[in-house]
Amino acid sequence: MATGRVSVSASPLEMRAVKAVRSAAPATVIALGVFAAVRGAGVLVLTLGSWWAGKDPLRVLGKSWDSVWYLGIAANGYGRTQMWADPVTGTGFIQSDYAFFPLYPTLIRLVGAVLPGGLIPAGILVAWICAAVAAVGVYRIGEWVIGPRAGLLLVGLWAALPHAVVLSLAYTEALLAALAAWALYALMRGRWLWAAGLAVLAGLTRPTGLAVAAAVSVMALHEILSRRSRAPEVWVAGLLAPAGWAAYVLAVGVRVRDPLGGYFTVQRRWGSRFDFGAGALRSAERVLTGGHVPLATTVTVVLLAAAGLLAMLLVLDRTPLPLLAYTAILLVIAYGGAGFFESKPRFLLPAFPLLLPVAAVMARARPRTAVVVTAALAGLSYGYGLYLLLVARVPL
């Protein structure tokens, strides 16, 4: 009969592995508790705010902006296109659902097939599960780099970011963050094939999933060039990591009869293209010269803060190279893309390593101070989340 105890014949390696799992479990539960407390309170605030505004909380959480596209793909597959013109600029857009990557709607469809209530609850549930998995991964990375206490603070800070409300919506950021966190953790531990497999899935999640794949490939190249590695798994990981992203881009290209450029044409018709940050700089300039709306001001502050945190991360000697590579690539993609300026902080939500310097500083403060600061940031995040979803009428 199984007793849950370790056999006396277990090897020393097995004994150490079991002890490591047991010692990590309580900290993992605490990390999940921190995340659930911060984001759970946020969901409660959003629910009450939605009722007060006369809106269905379930639809606010599960059918806001891009969620509609994901639900449509989950229900009917690809093929939807809509056209509209900006009343201010007169610029026309042709929006195709091929701009949205397939992994998240596939998961919605699978969960919706067994979960009562339809696709909206399924989309929310998938996002919440992914957010919890991401929180554990964020904690394990924080614990590895700056210690257990700082790891918990890292989770709390990440859950309290201004745009962290997106982690509670039927969006892809939670899924990407989960895949990125565990891919990076596998990479730091030398689990190359695990990292590559997760990178493939990240590449099927959203365009910025390319940052995960690029980080794995860059680290494989570094291993080959600097350490003259001939390990087959390093070579396989470096070549396999971008396969998910490349496969979807190629599939869209084939579908629209332009194998190499079709996906990028779809994105341009949405008003989204890579312009090396020229559009973002123009939007930030309008803010700094006093000619833009409050939401764009907040976005500009977030982008400037992210750039400053990246600079801090670069000067920290103990930051693992995989985290630096991933974060830098993700910021280049987010900053360099034109269009949807107000969405850029959302694109940066998976860039949780940016918060490592802040968590390290807070870990040296008194516990009460760290709790008060995190709670204050969470309160501001809740208010901002209400503003984004119930007041500001711009896409997240």
Side-chain angles (χ1 to χ4, degrees), residues 61-62 64-71 73 78 99-108 123-124 126-128 130-131 134 158 165-180 201-209 212 326 346-347 349-350 396:
L61 289 167
S64 294
W65 300 109
D66 286 359
S67 300
V68 176
W69 290 92
Y70 289 117
L71 292 173
I73 296 168
Y78 284 93
F100 298 92
F101 281 54
L103 181 58
Y104 180 57
T106 299
L107 293 175
I108 294 176
I124 296 172
V126 171
W128 287 7
C130 291
W158 183 60
V165 65
V166 176
L167 297 174
S168 303
L169 305 182
Y171 266 59
T172 55
E173 273 64 32
L175 175 58
L176 179 59
L179 294 169
L201 294 177
L204 291 169
T205 300
R206 54 174 301 103
T208 48
V212 184
Y326 163 73
R346 170 169 69 87
F347 300 158
L349 267 178
L396 277 175

Side-chain angles (χ1 to χ4, degrees), residues 124-197:
I124 296 172
L125 179 61
V126 171
W128 287 7
I129 291 174
C130 291
V133 173
V136 176
V138 169
Y139 168 73
R140 296 306 298 270
I141 288 176
E143 179 191 43
W144 182 283
V145 179
I146 50 179
R149 183 181 174 190
L152 292 175
L153 289 169
L154 180 66
V155 172
L157 289 169
W158 183 60
L161 285 173
H163 279 67
V165 65
V166 176
L167 297 174
S168 303
L169 305 182
Y171 266 59
T172 55
E173 273 64 32
L175 175 58
L176 179 59
L179 294 169
W182 287 104
L184 293 170
Y185 187 67
L187 203 55
M188 291 191 299
R189 300 195 62 177
R191 307 288 178 83
W192 290 97
L193 296 182
W194 274 104

Side-chain angles (χ1 to χ4, degrees), residues 132-376:
V133 173
V136 176
V138 169
Y139 168 73
R140 296 306 298 270
I141 288 176
E143 179 191 43
W144 182 283
V145 179
I146 50 179
R149 183 181 174 190
L152 292 175
L153 289 169
L154 180 66
V155 172
L157 289 169
W158 183 60
L161 285 173
H163 279 67
V165 65
V166 176
L167 297 174
S168 303
L169 305 182
Y171 266 59
T172 55
E173 273 64 32
L175 175 58
L176 179 59
L179 294 169
W182 287 104
L184 293 170
Y185 187 67
L187 203 55
M188 291 191 299
R189 300 195 62 177
R191 307 288 178 83
W192 290 97
L193 296 182
W194 274 104
L198 292 168
V200 170
L201 294 177
L204 291 169
T205 300
R206 54 174 301 103
T208 48
L210 180 62
V212 184
V216 174
S217 295
V218 166
M219 291 310 303
L221 183 62
H222 176 268
E223 187 79 6
I224 293 168
L225 295 179
S226 66
R227 300 185 181 180
R228 309 296 181 187
S229 175
R230 296 184 179 179
E233 61 268 23
V234 176
W235 289 81
V236 171
L239 295 173
L240 180 64
W245 185 90
Y248 182 69
V249 169
L250 182 61
V252 172
V254 170
R255 189 65 183 264
V256 300
R257 300 181 180 178
D258 181 5
L260 297 181
Y263 171 79
F264 304 103
T265 299
V266 169
Q267 287 287 2
R268 281 196 300 273
R269 289 174 176 172
W270 271 82
S272 179
R273 66 188 187 282
F274 193 83
D275 67 351
F276 300 92
L281 286 175
R282 285 194 296 271
S283 297
E285 181 184 10
R286 287 195 291 270
V287 169
L288 296 175
T289 55
H292 220 297
V293 296
L295 180 57
T297 302
T298 304
V299 172
T300 302
V301 171
V302 170
L303 295 180
L304 291 173
L309 290 171
L310 178 61
M312 294 175 62
L313 201 63
L314 290 171
V315 301
L316 290 178
D317 293 336
R318 57 195 301 186
T319 306
L321 190 56
L323 300 184
L324 290 175
Y326 163 73
T327 308
I329 294 167
L330 183 59
L331 261 66
V332 168
I333 295 173
Y335 282 46
F340 302 102
F341 181 71
E342 289 80 6
S343 298
K344 289 187 182 295
R346 170 169 69 87
F347 300 158
L348 294 178
L349 267 178
F352 58 88
L354 289 173
L355 298 171
L356 284 168
V358 182
V361 171
M362 288 179 61
R364 293 194 287 269
R366 294 179 179 179
R368 181 186 230 173
T369 302
V371 171
V372 169
V373 170
T374 304

